[in-house]
Amino acid sequence: MNALLSVEGVDVHHGDLQALHGLDLTLDEGETLAVIGANGAGKTTLLRTIAGSLRATRGEVRLDGDPIGSTPAHVRVARGIALTPEGRRIFPSLTVEENLLVGGYRGRKGPWDLRSVYELFPLVHGRRTRAGAHLSGGEQQATAIGRALMANPRLLLLDEVSLGLAPVVVKEIYAALPQVVARGTTVLVVEQDLNQALGVADRVQCLLEGRTVLEGPAATISREDVTAAYFGLQE
Amino acid sequence: MDWLNAVIQGLLLGGQYALLACGLSLIFGVMRIVNLAHGVIAVAAAYVALWLVQDGSVPLLLALVVVVPVFAAAGYALQRGLFNPALGGGELAPLLVSFGLGIVLTNVLQQVFSADSRSIGIGSLGTSSVPLAPDLSVGVFSLLTFVVGVGVIAAVQLFLSRTSTGRAMRATSDDPETAQLMGIDQRHLYGVATAIAIGTVALAGVFVGMSTQFSPTYGDLVLIFAFEAVIVGGLGSLWGTLLGGLVLGVAQTVGAQVDPAYGILAGHLVFLAVLLVRPSGLMPRTVTA
Ligand SMILES: Nc1ncnc2c1ncn2[C@@H]1O[C@H](COP(=O)(O)OP(=O)(O)O)[C@@H](O)[C@H]1O
Ligand SMILES: [Mg+2]
């Protein structure tokens, strides 16, 4: 059986700067993977390459074994890939509800619609008529996740969920993730907060300067190894 | 009564300006392109309608029904074929492309239709009027143009605020890259926006052709008035464009009431004053990206 997602030997450049060096990653259906790493490790670049905002200069991205490296981002959404981007990127002039509806613009059929997203995030429901520009960070993040869910993705990519949010808000948002996974969505979460990452994921992959330096099941991996890999310390 | 009359005529004229400016405003609002070919496209539509009516013996109303969708389709092709590729070339590229297109179109019109002034005859519709009060009456055709102008702006605004495609356009205007992550095909969506814009300016052009004499270079004046309406109203807001058109129309007729030679100048002065005092226009978008 093919993995849901496989990233094979991918190089990605930003101009002259190479951000990913022959990176590999596989993700089976139903699995939750946390990608961790310091600032500038290449995590956002990796997610944007999977979602189609960036193109690999070498290597291939496959969904169900089919190469999608040259498929435009908007088509990948219809194929089942949704990204909650770093910085949330809520559409400022649209209301919260309009943001969610745009998320479902070309999505697949499935369990997620306005009602189920509002049930998942009551805090979003309370803000549904408010303009995106006037949301707190936590409201933005919950709206951004809801917006991605509206496409009923098979693979949900979450970039820096907890960045800049108060701990209670982070807890509330992470508390919703098991319900997402329970409805059959495979989740790839990028996170700088190690505890959150290890708490939510089945498996952890740690990046350093565009390469994988550590990979393993979240339950058995030792915090010392993760910390060492994270900062690039040699044994 | 003369002044009141001038204001009312100005408002009606403003409806025509708003109709002319609607497409310019939409294209700028959605993709930040200033389409310098806007005016000559309006004039081209007037020529095509005139040709259908005179040489093809097509009834005027039918000519309108044909011209608008044909121009809308051409707008879609224009976006996909010229503007979309230009958008990849930086801020200035689409401006230059539209400038070039305007020049080419003007020359084509001169070749095909000559530089003579023409107008589309509308018979008694052009001269009949309805009395509003003793000493005060408005032309039926001006009133019709006004109603069409307001109606078109309201319809496009409704489309933007209520439909799924309209929502996608606003999202793309806010943040094109994130919009693509929502499954929005930007190139197609821009094509649809330009189709609507060119369809409405074609309609506007035929109305201009019915109300006044035009020649291939008349598009320059159309572009200036449309541009002034958009700027006075505030970039990126269609209701603002309507308001801008009305302000411009009233400025021109009230100015002409002072001295017939000052009409158009008064419009330009109001435009400059707004630029100086409120550069973002009278009704700018309340939430900016
Ligand atoms: N748009 C960009 N232009 C130029 N360089 C970039 C851009 N985005 C990221 N980079 C560079 O690529 C590297 C990886 O960045 P990124 O993927 O954002 O890392 P992370 O998300 O792990 O913090 C960094 O060196 C960063 O400076
Ligand atoms: Mg990042």
PDB file of all heavy atoms in Angstrom, chain B residues 143-162:
ATOM      1  N   LEU B 143     -32.048  59.816 -17.268  1.00  0.00           N
ATOM      2  CA  LEU B 143     -32.606  59.082 -16.136  1.00  0.00           C
ATOM      3  C   LEU B 143     -32.364  57.582 -16.313  1.00  0.00           C
ATOM      4  O   LEU B 143     -31.955  56.882 -15.377  1.00  0.00           O
ATOM      5  CB  LEU B 143     -34.106  59.382 -16.049  1.00  0.00           C
ATOM      6  CG  LEU B 143     -34.790  59.068 -14.724  1.00  0.00           C
ATOM      7  CD1 LEU B 143     -34.155  59.869 -13.593  1.00  0.00           C
ATOM      8  CD2 LEU B 143     -36.291  59.390 -14.825  1.00  0.00           C
ATOM      9  N   LEU B 144     -32.579  57.112 -17.529  1.00  0.00           N
ATOM     10  CA  LEU B 144     -32.369  55.692 -17.828  1.00  0.00           C
ATOM     11  C   LEU B 144     -30.904  55.315 -17.583  1.00  0.00           C
ATOM     12  O   LEU B 144     -30.589  54.290 -16.962  1.00  0.00           O
ATOM     13  CB  LEU B 144     -32.745  55.423 -19.289  1.00  0.00           C
ATOM     14  CG  LEU B 144     -32.593  53.977 -19.765  1.00  0.00           C
ATOM     15  CD1 LEU B 144     -33.590  53.090 -19.052  1.00  0.00           C
ATOM     16  CD2 LEU B 144     -32.798  53.889 -21.285  1.00  0.00           C
ATOM     17  N   THR B 145     -29.982  56.171 -18.054  1.00  0.00           N
ATOM     18  CA  THR B 145     -28.552  55.895 -17.861  1.00  0.00           C
ATOM     19  C   THR B 145     -28.221  55.834 -16.369  1.00  0.00           C
ATOM     20  O   THR B 145     -27.484  54.959 -15.914  1.00  0.00           O
ATOM     21  CB  THR B 145     -27.696  56.999 -18.519  1.00  0.00           C
ATOM     22  OG1 THR B 145     -28.151  57.200 -19.846  1.00  0.00           O
ATOM     23  CG2 THR B 145     -26.234  56.611 -18.541  1.00  0.00           C
ATOM     24  N   PHE B 146     -28.793  56.790 -15.629  1.00  0.00           N
ATOM     25  CA  PHE B 146     -28.555  56.828 -14.191  1.00  0.00           C
ATOM     26  C   PHE B 146     -29.019  55.534 -13.526  1.00  0.00           C
ATOM     27  O   PHE B 146     -28.291  54.921 -12.750  1.00  0.00           O
ATOM     28  CB  PHE B 146     -29.302  58.031 -13.585  1.00  0.00           C
ATOM     29  CG  PHE B 146     -29.184  58.141 -12.105  1.00  0.00           C
ATOM     30  CD1 PHE B 146     -28.075  58.742 -11.521  1.00  0.00           C
ATOM     31  CD2 PHE B 146     -30.186  57.651 -11.274  1.00  0.00           C
ATOM     32  CE1 PHE B 146     -27.962  58.843 -10.142  1.00  0.00           C
ATOM     33  CE2 PHE B 146     -30.076  57.743  -9.894  1.00  0.00           C
ATOM     34  CZ  PHE B 146     -28.965  58.342  -9.329  1.00  0.00           C
ATOM     35  N   VAL B 147     -30.237  55.110 -13.873  1.00  0.00           N
ATOM     36  CA  VAL B 147     -30.793  53.893 -13.272  1.00  0.00           C
ATOM     37  C   VAL B 147     -29.925  52.687 -13.628  1.00  0.00           C
ATOM     38  O   VAL B 147     -29.606  51.845 -12.772  1.00  0.00           O
ATOM     39  CB  VAL B 147     -32.258  53.682 -13.742  1.00  0.00           C
ATOM     40  CG1 VAL B 147     -32.753  52.296 -13.334  1.00  0.00           C
ATOM     41  CG2 VAL B 147     -33.151  54.766 -13.162  1.00  0.00           C
ATOM     42  N   VAL B 148     -29.487  52.622 -14.883  1.00  0.00           N
ATOM     43  CA  VAL B 148     -28.632  51.501 -15.297  1.00  0.00           C
ATOM     44  C   VAL B 148     -27.305  51.551 -14.536  1.00  0.00           C
ATOM     45  O   VAL B 148     -26.808  50.527 -14.055  1.00  0.00           O
ATOM     46  CB  VAL B 148     -28.392  51.523 -16.825  1.00  0.00           C
ATOM     47  CG1 VAL B 148     -27.307  50.541 -17.222  1.00  0.00           C
ATOM     48  CG2 VAL B 148     -29.686  51.188 -17.552  1.00  0.00           C
ATOM     49  N   GLY B 149     -26.733  52.749 -14.398  1.00  0.00           N
ATOM     50  CA  GLY B 149     -25.452  52.896 -13.698  1.00  0.00           C
ATOM     51  C   GLY B 149     -25.547  52.420 -12.255  1.00  0.00           C
ATOM     52  O   GLY B 149     -24.739  51.595 -11.797  1.00  0.00           O
ATOM     53  N   VAL B 150     -26.551  52.935 -11.542  1.00  0.00           N
ATOM     54  CA  VAL B 150     -26.728  52.525 -10.142  1.00  0.00           C
ATOM     55  C   VAL B 150     -27.025  51.031 -10.060  1.00  0.00           C
ATOM     56  O   VAL B 150     -26.485  50.311  -9.216  1.00  0.00           O
ATOM     57  CB  VAL B 150     -27.848  53.354  -9.467  1.00  0.00           C
ATOM     58  CG1 VAL B 150     -28.121  52.836  -8.061  1.00  0.00           C
ATOM     59  CG2 VAL B 150     -27.463  54.824  -9.419  1.00  0.00           C
ATOM     60  N   GLY B 151     -27.858  50.554 -10.989  1.00  0.00           N
ATOM     61  CA  GLY B 151     -28.216  49.140 -10.997  1.00  0.00           C
ATOM     62  C   GLY B 151     -27.001  48.245 -11.213  1.00  0.00           C
ATOM     63  O   GLY B 151     -26.841  47.230 -10.534  1.00  0.00           O
ATOM     64  N   VAL B 152     -26.122  48.635 -12.146  1.00  0.00           N
ATOM     65  CA  VAL B 152     -24.946  47.808 -12.436  1.00  0.00           C
ATOM     66  C   VAL B 152     -24.003  47.786 -11.232  1.00  0.00           C
ATOM     67  O   VAL B 152     -23.516  46.727 -10.823  1.00  0.00           O
ATOM     68  CB  VAL B 152     -24.215  48.318 -13.701  1.00  0.00           C
ATOM     69  CG1 VAL B 152     -22.809  47.751 -13.782  1.00  0.00           C
ATOM     70  CG2 VAL B 152     -25.005  47.941 -14.941  1.00  0.00           C
ATOM     71  N   ILE B 153     -23.770  48.955 -10.640  1.00  0.00           N
ATOM     72  CA  ILE B 153     -22.893  48.997  -9.460  1.00  0.00           C
ATOM     73  C   ILE B 153     -23.469  48.130  -8.344  1.00  0.00           C
ATOM     74  O   ILE B 153     -22.763  47.330  -7.723  1.00  0.00           O
ATOM     75  CB  ILE B 153     -22.722  50.448  -8.958  1.00  0.00           C
ATOM     76  CG1 ILE B 153     -21.977  51.268 -10.008  1.00  0.00           C
ATOM     77  CG2 ILE B 153     -22.032  50.471  -7.593  1.00  0.00           C
ATOM     78  CD1 ILE B 153     -20.614  51.722  -9.649  1.00  0.00           C
ATOM     79  N   ALA B 154     -24.779  48.250  -8.104  1.00  0.00           N
ATOM     80  CA  ALA B 154     -25.407  47.467  -7.043  1.00  0.00           C
ATOM     81  C   ALA B 154     -25.310  45.976  -7.358  1.00  0.00           C
ATOM     82  O   ALA B 154     -25.017  45.161  -6.467  1.00  0.00           O
ATOM     83  CB  ALA B 154     -26.862  47.880  -6.871  1.00  0.00           C
ATOM     84  N   ALA B 155     -25.510  45.613  -8.617  1.00  0.00           N
ATOM     85  CA  ALA B 155     -25.467  44.196  -8.981  1.00  0.00           C
ATOM     86  C   ALA B 155     -24.061  43.626  -8.796  1.00  0.00           C
ATOM     87  O   ALA B 155     -23.891  42.523  -8.255  1.00  0.00           O
ATOM     88  CB  ALA B 155     -25.920  44.017 -10.429  1.00  0.00           C
ATOM     89  N   VAL B 156     -23.047  44.380  -9.223  1.00  0.00           N
ATOM     90  CA  VAL B 156     -21.675  43.868  -9.079  1.00  0.00           C
ATOM     91  C   VAL B 156     -21.308  43.781  -7.596  1.00  0.00           C
ATOM     92  O   VAL B 156     -20.685  42.814  -7.139  1.00  0.00           O
ATOM     93  CB  VAL B 156     -20.665  44.752  -9.846  1.00  0.00           C
ATOM     94  CG1 VAL B 156     -19.242  44.294  -9.586  1.00  0.00           C
ATOM     95  CG2 VAL B 156     -20.956  44.713 -11.334  1.00  0.00           C
ATOM     96  N   GLN B 157     -21.747  44.783  -6.829  1.00  0.00           N
ATOM     97  CA  GLN B 157     -21.468  44.752  -5.396  1.00  0.00           C
ATOM     98  C   GLN B 157     -22.156  43.548  -4.734  1.00  0.00           C
ATOM     99  O   GLN B 157     -21.567  42.862  -3.900  1.00  0.00           O
ATOM    100  CB  GLN B 157     -21.953  46.062  -4.754  1.00  0.00           C
ATOM    101  CG  GLN B 157     -21.611  46.202  -3.294  1.00  0.00           C
ATOM    102  CD  GLN B 157     -20.118  46.180  -3.053  1.00  0.00           C
ATOM    103  OE1 GLN B 157     -19.372  46.964  -3.624  1.00  0.00           O
ATOM    104  NE2 GLN B 157     -19.657  45.243  -2.230  1.00  0.00           N
ATOM    105  N   LEU B 158     -23.383  43.287  -5.136  1.00  0.00           N
ATOM    106  CA  LEU B 158     -24.121  42.146  -4.602  1.00  0.00           C
ATOM    107  C   LEU B 158     -23.421  40.840  -4.967  1.00  0.00           C
ATOM    108  O   LEU B 158     -23.303  39.926  -4.143  1.00  0.00           O
ATOM    109  CB  LEU B 158     -25.538  42.156  -5.191  1.00  0.00           C
ATOM    110  CG  LEU B 158     -26.657  41.685  -4.276  1.00  0.00           C
ATOM    111  CD1 LEU B 158     -26.751  42.579  -3.057  1.00  0.00           C
ATOM    112  CD2 LEU B 158     -27.984  41.686  -5.040  1.00  0.00           C
ATOM    113  N   PHE B 159     -22.953  40.776  -6.204  1.00  0.00           N
ATOM    114  CA  PHE B 159     -22.206  39.599  -6.648  1.00  0.00           C
ATOM    115  C   PHE B 159     -20.969  39.389  -5.768  1.00  0.00           C
ATOM    116  O   PHE B 159     -20.686  38.283  -5.321  1.00  0.00           O
ATOM    117  CB  PHE B 159     -21.800  39.788  -8.116  1.00  0.00           C
ATOM    118  CG  PHE B 159     -20.702  38.879  -8.580  1.00  0.00           C
ATOM    119  CD1 PHE B 159     -20.964  37.563  -8.911  1.00  0.00           C
ATOM    120  CD2 PHE B 159     -19.396  39.347  -8.677  1.00  0.00           C
ATOM    121  CE1 PHE B 159     -19.943  36.721  -9.324  1.00  0.00           C
ATOM    122  CE2 PHE B 159     -18.376  38.516  -9.093  1.00  0.00           C
ATOM    123  CZ  PHE B 159     -18.652  37.197  -9.417  1.00  0.00           C
ATOM    124  N   LEU B 160     -20.248  40.485  -5.489  1.00  0.00           N
ATOM    125  CA  LEU B 160     -19.035  40.367  -4.680  1.00  0.00           C
ATOM    126  C   LEU B 160     -19.347  39.948  -3.252  1.00  0.00           C
ATOM    127  O   LEU B 160     -18.619  39.168  -2.646  1.00  0.00           O
ATOM    128  CB  LEU B 160     -18.278  41.700  -4.648  1.00  0.00           C
ATOM    129  CG  LEU B 160     -17.520  42.080  -5.911  1.00  0.00           C
ATOM    130  CD1 LEU B 160     -16.920  43.470  -5.764  1.00  0.00           C
ATOM    131  CD2 LEU B 160     -16.411  41.068  -6.204  1.00  0.00           C
ATOM    132  N   SER B 161     -20.456  40.474  -2.708  1.00  0.00           N
ATOM    133  CA  SER B 161     -20.680  40.200  -1.286  1.00  0.00           C
ATOM    134  C   SER B 161     -21.464  38.923  -1.042  1.00  0.00           C
ATOM    135  O   SER B 161     -21.340  38.336   0.025  1.00  0.00           O
ATOM    136  CB  SER B 161     -21.352  41.397  -0.607  1.00  0.00           C
ATOM    137  OG  SER B 161     -22.510  41.756  -1.306  1.00  0.00           O
ATOM    138  N   ARG B 162     -22.244  38.457  -2.028  1.00  0.00           N
ATOM    139  CA  ARG B 162     -23.129  37.340  -1.726  1.00  0.00           C
ATOM    140  C   ARG B 162     -22.759  36.012  -2.373  1.00  0.00           C
ATOM    141  O   ARG B 162     -23.184  34.965  -1.912  1.00  0.00           O
ATOM    142  CB  ARG B 162     -24.562  37.677  -2.154  1.00  0.00           C
ATOM    143  CG  ARG B 162     -25.183  38.804  -1.385  1.00  0.00           C
ATOM    144  CD  ARG B 162     -25.444  38.395   0.068  1.00  0.00           C
ATOM    145  NE  ARG B 162     -25.637  39.561   0.906  1.00  0.00           N
ATOM    146  CZ  ARG B 162     -26.768  40.250   0.966  1.00  0.00           C
ATOM    147  NH1 ARG B 162     -27.796  39.882   0.260  1.00  0.00           N
ATOM    148  NH2 ARG B 162     -26.853  41.317   1.743  1.00  0.00           N
TER     149      ARG B 162
END
